[in-house]
Amino acid sequence: MKKKLLFLLVSVLSVSAFDLTAQTTTLTVFDQILFYDGYAAVVSEPVPDGIIRHRNDLYAKKLTSEQLLAFGSTMGLNISIKADCDNYDRIGNVNLAFAPKDALTYDTNAVPKIELARFITPFMNKNVAPYEVPYVFNIDNMAKIFKDPEMLAAYDFWIEFQVFGVPYAAQTQVAGCAGIISVFYGTLSLISDSTPLVSSNNFLLPLNFMNYMNNYQAGASDAIGTTIRTIAFNLPTDIADSSFYLITSNHGANTGGEEYNRRRHYIYLDDFSTNILNYKPGELTCEPYRVYNTQPNGIYGPTPRTNAAWQSFSNWCPGYNIPIRKIDRGTLTAGPHNFRISVPGAQFANGEGYFPISLYLQGTAIPLGVESPTIVAYSIFPNPTSDFLNIDAKETIKKCSMVNAIGQQVYEGNQNRINISNFSNGMYLLQIEFENGMKVTEKIMKQ
């Protein structure tokens, strides 16, 4: 029997030190790339070959086939941020974008992507050492993406590097910054070992990418006045070894924002009466990162704080990683599910502040097909296609359906010829059940 597996999208990460004992390969994707004022018009300064400037705060570079081939089964992500003319703590992140094959550029707001890492810059003065701050992430599960032949056939992989900076304070507070709109230099490297990767039925479902949650804007929560977001999704197949990967951080200090308030977060799955995780953001202490905060306009003050003092107000440490929380759920069954995050203590006084949330589900797809002694000869053509999809089989089709990359059903029927001309471009899963009981699953590319 011909068996096919579900394709959605792919990758994972966790945050911890990356220590390889095997022979390593280091790929420097961005080397001292210069970020500019995130509020200003896009600058026209040249960029290195192969790099795209989407915005002043966002660059992208495609990983080549040769680079992907060199990676092994373990992956690390090293980042260095060097001070220029922004002396405040800012958010930065690294994304993996899935762009159309062989495109020279892409719309960063239109392609699927997942957030691989998030960090906060220190309060840095470019004239006071140390001038750079390092960030280290373990992203072993990303190796499964880089070796996925079906994803490689469908998409190019682009690494996005983003740091949103603002130079206005530094222009008056930091010597040499008057009139300057460049804010930070960034270096990003991928590190891998030489151990071959054992392939598996990799599965990923992007669920939320850097979407803001607050209680005062329509669409930023389930209802105005609440800090709750429910993310509904559908799994077309059972997923084994499933894990959710969640990134949250609070932003917007001002008078009434939530940036410095450690509110308890509650996570639910399907059963909203029982939470599967609850946590307060924030490190035990921010003192290890004081050395990087060389500008005296930050939250550190002139003398060390106690652990209790840090925990009383700070939900992040300028100069450190924002945690990626892995929530293991074992096997999730096919069908509808709901993931909910609730922060009931959040206040957002004066309509200030927001929580950027990123979330995806990763695991192992369990084949939809079942073993059967009955054989059906069939063909599906053309594939890829831009308009009609034909199913040629002597056995009668009992029913068939198609789902898109986020698990939504877009077609159901029993026809041998399906019009998909109005579907969005991308990968779909076609499931066919024949009258003799045989079930098959095929991946269809709409272009």
Side-chain angles (χ1 to χ4, degrees):
M1 171 184 156
K2 189 176 182 180
K3 296 175 70 176
K4 297 288 184 177
L5 299 176
L6 176 67
F7 165 85
L8 285 176
L9 275 183
V10 218
S11 188
V12 215
L13 70 89
S14 59
V15 181
S16 60
F18 182 67
D19 181 18
L20 292 176
T21 57
Q23 183 177 357
T24 61
T25 296
T26 299
L27 170 65
T28 300
V29 184
F30 301 96
D31 186 9
Q32 296 289 313
I33 197 78
L34 187 55
F35 296 90
Y36 294 87
D37 180 2
Y39 290 124
V42 179
V43 300
S44 59
E45 297 297 323
V47 296
D49 290 344
I51 292 178
I52 294 171
R53 178 188 288 122
H54 285 299
R55 302 187 304 260
N56 287 346
D57 68 316
L58 179 62
Y59 293 92
K61 187 172 184 180
K62 181 170 68 175
L63 300 178
T64 68
S65 299
E66 293 75 16
Q67 291 166 346
L68 293 167
L69 185 63
F71 294 149
S73 61
T74 59
M75 295 295 305
L77 173 62
N78 287 355
I79 299 166
S80 176
I81 298 297
K82 181 180 177 181
D84 197 31
C85 287
D86 186 347
N87 56 344
Y88 273 76
D89 55 339
R90 310 294 184 186
I91 186 171
N93 56 289
V94 179
N95 314 316
L96 181 61
F98 303 90
K101 291 290 292 182
D102 302 321
L104 298 179
T105 188
Y106 64 95
D107 183 349
T108 184
N109 297 314
V111 302
K113 54 187 179 181
I114 58 175
E115 186 177 6
L116 297 182
R118 188 184 299 180
F119 56 91
I120 303 297
T121 68
F123 294 83
M124 289 192 290
N125 184 319
K126 72 172 186 175
N127 303 307
V128 181
Y131 310 106
E132 295 187 60
V133 56
Y135 305 88
V136 179
F137 297 84
N138 180 301
I139 52 172
D140 280 347
N141 289 332
M142 197 165 68
K144 295 181 180 180
I145 307 171
F146 295 155
K147 301 298 183 179
D148 188 317
E150 295 182 1
M151 290 200 67
L152 290 168
Y155 294 98
D156 283 331
F157 303 149
W158 291 72
I159 297 295
E160 293 187 344
F161 194 11
Q162 180 175 2
V163 184
F164 190 94
V166 182
Y168 312 136
Q171 288 172 348
T172 61
Q173 297 173 358
V174 178
C177 285
I180 303 299
I181 67 166
S182 51
V183 289
F184 298 105
Y185 293 89
T187 297
L188 185 156
S189 299
L190 293 172
I191 307 170
S192 183
D193 72 349
S194 57
T195 306
L197 176 70
V198 178
S199 62
S200 62
N201 303 330
N202 198 36
F203 172 95
L204 177 126
L205 179 60
L207 293 170
N208 214 64
F209 177 77
M210 290 289 288
N211 286 330
Y212 291 173
M213 180 173 72
N214 58 52
N215 67 2
Y216 56 88
Q217 291 176 311
S221 62
D222 289 359
I224 290 179
T226 67
T227 311
I228 299 172
R229 169 163 288 160
T230 303
I231 302 167
F233 61 97
N234 187 73
L235 296 179
T237 185
D238 291 352
I239 305 300
D241 305 316
S242 67
S243 298
F244 291 95
Y245 291 81
L246 173 67
I247 306 177
T248 63
S249 53
N250 305 6
H251 293 266
N254 299 321
T255 302
E258 283 289 296
E259 186 165 312
Y260 297 132
N261 296 309
R262 299 186 69 185
R263 313 293 193 186
R264 187 161 293 279
H265 294 48
Y266 297 89
I267 308 300
Y268 305 86
L269 181 64
D270 297 332
D271 179 5
F272 296 151
S273 65
T274 304
N275 68 284
I276 60 174
L277 173 70
N278 72 80
Y279 62 92
K280 277 188 177 181
E283 297 298 309
L284 178 66
T285 176
C286 292
E287 288 303 323
Y289 317 105
R290 175 181 290 275
V291 63
Y292 302 112
N293 287 262
T294 57
Q295 178 70 20
N297 63 332
I299 65 175
Y300 277 79
T303 58
R305 298 175 185 264
T306 65
N307 290 1
W310 282 115
Q311 294 169 44
S312 69
F313 79 100
S314 178
N315 77 79
W316 70 40
C317 297
Y320 189 55
N321 309 337
I322 294 296
I324 288 80
R325 290 180 165 85
K326 181 185 177 186
I327 309 171
D328 296 327
R329 298 308 299 165
T331 297
L332 292 179
T333 58
H337 295 274
N338 290 281
F339 183 100
R340 173 174 288 181
I341 178 169
S342 174
V343 190
Q347 297 177 14
F348 303 106
N350 305 317
E352 297 172 352
Y354 52 91
F355 296 180
I357 299 172
S358 285
L359 176 72
Y360 60 88
L361 172 66
Q362 194 259 357
T364 302
I366 299 175
L368 290 173
V370 295
E371 296 293 342
S372 170
T374 305
I375 300 297
V376 172
Y378 70 95
S379 61
I380 298 173
F381 63 93
N383 187 20
T385 181
S386 59
D387 43 32
F388 286 93
L389 186 70
N390 299 289
I391 306 172
D392 184 11
K394 294 187 177 182
E395 183 68 27
T396 302
I397 296 174
K398 181 178 180 180
K399 64 179 180 180
C400 63
S401 62
M402 292 182 70
V403 296
N404 61 18
I406 61 173
Q408 297 171 324
Q409 183 170 288
V410 295
Y411 170 82
E412 184 175 32
N414 60 356
Q415 305 300 309
N416 290 79
R417 182 173 171 83
I418 304 172
N419 184 355
I420 67 171
S421 60
N422 292 327
F423 292 10
S424 299
N425 290 351
M427 188 72 75
Y428 292 82
L429 184 70
L430 174 67
Q431 304 167 47
I432 308 171
E433 180 180 353
F434 295 98
E435 288 288 354
N436 67 359
M438 180 179 175
K439 299 177 181 179
V440 297
T441 303
E442 294 282 356
K443 299 178 185 69
I444 306 299
M445 174 62 76
K446 166 64 165 57
Q447 62 182 18

